[in-house]
Amino acid sequence: MSARHLSADERRAVTIETVVELAGERNPSEITTAAIAERMKLTQGALFRHFPTKEALWVAVMEWMAERLMARIERAIEQASGPLAALRAMFLAHVGFVVEHPGVPRMMFGELQHAQPSVPKRMAQTVVRRYGERVRAVLEAGRAKGEVATEIDLDAATTLFVGTIQGLVMQSLLAGAPDRIRDQAPAVIELYLRAIRSTS
């Protein structure tokens, strides 16, 4: 079924997915509403019936990213046998999400680099903060259960966890090989877990 025959909600969803797809192929700042409409085989007028401005569309895309990434992270935590296993599962789930949607980190990095404040930029900052808070909560649970060493600085451990994923993603983007991080991720997270694991 083409985009022109979808319901309003379905067309909004397809539009968001189209933006994420395009962001995986080009610089997000270069994605125009004309390019989105062309990919969807719609007119720009039809596009603006669902998103009155480009910023409104970007806000919807950021919401889509945040909801799906955090839902995947929560599922990974729920299925893990303990805090360290949860950290491993979170890391690998996040990497898997990026491999499936390479446009997501491009859009996140793009929004965070903007000098001027905007709703999408604030949303990107909120996602990063929420993610960090979730990592820290798992680290705190690990310390309480004796899995994480008591001398570990939890703020530093949180920063390192988030930064390690960001570093892997950045390297994959620079190399133009998003699949590479899937191969590297297991060894990288094991090094991290070894560094914070309690030996007592």
Side-chain angles (χ1 to χ4, degrees):
M1 182 183 294
S2 72
R4 70 181 66 237
H5 297 111
L6 298 175
S7 70
D9 287 345
E10 289 171 331
R11 188 179 290 181
R12 282 176 59 87
V14 170
T15 304
I16 291 166
E17 290 166 6
T18 299
V19 172
V20 174
E21 183 181 300
L22 286 168
E25 302 169 4
R26 64 186 78 172
N27 186 329
S29 66
E30 298 172 358
I31 299 174
T32 63
T33 52
I36 298 165
E38 181 181 357
R39 177 68 62 92
M40 295 178 67
K41 297 181 173 53
L42 294 173
T43 64
Q44 287 188 70
L47 201 61
F48 283 121
R49 279 200 291 275
H50 303 286
F51 298 98
T53 64
K54 187 176 180 182
E55 182 174 83
L57 173 53
W58 253 236
V59 166
V61 171
M62 296 304 294
E63 289 174 345
W64 182 95
M65 292 179 191
E67 289 171 3
R68 279 158 182 74
L69 175 59
M70 294 309 294
R72 186 173 294 200
I73 294 303
E74 290 302 328
R75 284 196 302 273
I77 293 170
E78 289 169 8
Q79 295 169 6
S81 59
L84 288 184
L87 288 168
R88 179 187 296 106
M90 288 174 70
F91 195 93
L92 298 179
H94 191 156
V95 165
F97 185 78
V98 169
V99 171
E100 290 172 28
H101 306 289
V104 167
R106 286 175 176 270
M107 295 211 53
M108 287 287 291
F109 288 140
E111 290 304 322
L112 293 170
Q113 287 176 44
H114 288 166
Q116 298 302 316
S118 68
V119 175
K121 180 178 179 178
R122 286 198 300 273
M123 293 176 74
Q125 291 169 327
T126 299
V127 171
V128 173
R129 187 183 70 252
R130 281 179 57 205
Y131 190 93
E133 290 169 352
R134 199 66 187 95
V135 172
R136 186 185 168 99
V138 176
L139 285 164
E140 288 173 348
R143 177 180 281 177
K145 290 191 173 184
E147 292 187 15
V148 173
T150 56
E151 68 272 17
I152 294 294
D153 181 323
L154 296 186
D155 287 336
T158 299
T159 299
L160 182 59
F161 186 98
V162 176
T164 300
I165 291 179
Q166 291 172 338
L168 279 174
V169 170
M170 186 61 71
Q171 289 179 46
S172 74
L173 292 177
L174 290 171
D179 284 347
R180 178 183 296 180
I181 59 173
R182 200 199 311 263
D183 298 331
Q184 296 173 329
V188 171
I189 186 59
E190 288 309 319
L191 279 175
Y192 175 86
L193 295 176
R194 189 182 305 168
I196 67 169
R197 184 178 285 117
S198 174
T199 56
S200 60

